[in-house]
């Protein structure tokens, strides 16, 4: 559950803001009866489906990345520290990387890489 809030926290906040806007709009005098119930239900359902789908896709990709790493395949991770030049890094067991929970770590590199920000490198 901790991963859910870590991965989807930003989207949950945006969803809450959209729900507040929906509540504000549907409570205006020009809206018909039942607008609050219909509007909140429809918007809430769409937001829940989109966030759920994003979480499912992200966790599936994370599993795929971890399995590929264990098989010795190369992994490409987003490098948010270096914005000039190479914005990604190729990680593999052969280069001294290891998997520590949900993070790729190396003694030769100062910071870890979260598996949600990585993809399998297809040669």
């Amino acid at each position: 559950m901790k991963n859910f809030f870590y991965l989807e926290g930003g989207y949950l906040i945006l969803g809450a803001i959209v729900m507040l806007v929906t509540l504000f709009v549907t409570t205006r005098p020009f809206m018909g009866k039942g607008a609050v119930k219909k509007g909140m239900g429809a918007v809430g359902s769409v937001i829940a489906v989109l966030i759920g789908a994003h979480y499912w896709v992200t966790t599936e990709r994370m599993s795929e990345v971890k399995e590929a790493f264990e098989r010795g395949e190369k992994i490409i991770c987003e490098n948010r520290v270096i914005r000039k030049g190479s914005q990604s890094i190729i990680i593999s067991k052969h280069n001294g990387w290891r998997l520590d929970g949900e993070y790729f770590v190396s003694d030769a590199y100062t910071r870890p890489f979260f598996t949600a920000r990585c993809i399998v490198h297809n040669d």
Side-chain angles (χ1 to χ4, degrees):
M1 196 60 157
K2 181 183 122 187
N3 261 353
F4 177 77
F5 291 112
Y6 183 73
L7 292 170
E8 305 302 323
Y11 297 117
L12 291 170
I13 292 169
L14 289 174
I17 292 169
V18 169
M19 292 296 287
L20 288 172
V21 169
T22 302
L23 181 64
F24 178 77
V25 170
T26 56
T27 56
R28 300 297 94 201
F30 58 83
M31 297 299 289
K33 288 190 183 254
V36 174
K37 191 175 182 179
K38 290 177 187 174
M40 295 295 281
V43 172
S45 296
V46 168
I47 290 171
V49 167
L50 291 174
I51 289 174
H54 183 266
Y55 179 71
W56 181 76
V57 167
T58 302
T59 53
E60 287 295 312
R61 186 180 67 245
M62 289 169 67
S63 296
E64 180 184 320
V65 163
K66 287 194 277 187
E67 290 170 7
F69 179 77
E70 293 300 332
R71 289 191 306 266
E73 296 181 36
K74 294 178 182 176
I75 308 297
I76 300 175
C77 290
E78 178 184 24
N79 189 353
R80 292 184 173 187
V81 173
I82 301 171
R83 287 296 184 188
K84 296 177 183 171
S86 176
Q87 291 188 359
S88 61
I89 186 167
I90 296 178
I91 292 173
S92 73
K93 279 186 171 184
H94 307 296
N95 293 340
W97 289 89
R98 65 187 180 281
L99 194 56
D100 183 18
E102 301 292 335
Y103 292 89
F104 291 113
V105 293
S106 172
D107 296 333
Y109 208 80
T110 56
R111 68 180 207 86
F113 289 91
F114 191 44
T115 55
R117 306 289 173 249
C118 303
I119 59 172
V120 178
H121 182 267
N122 295 322
D123 290 323

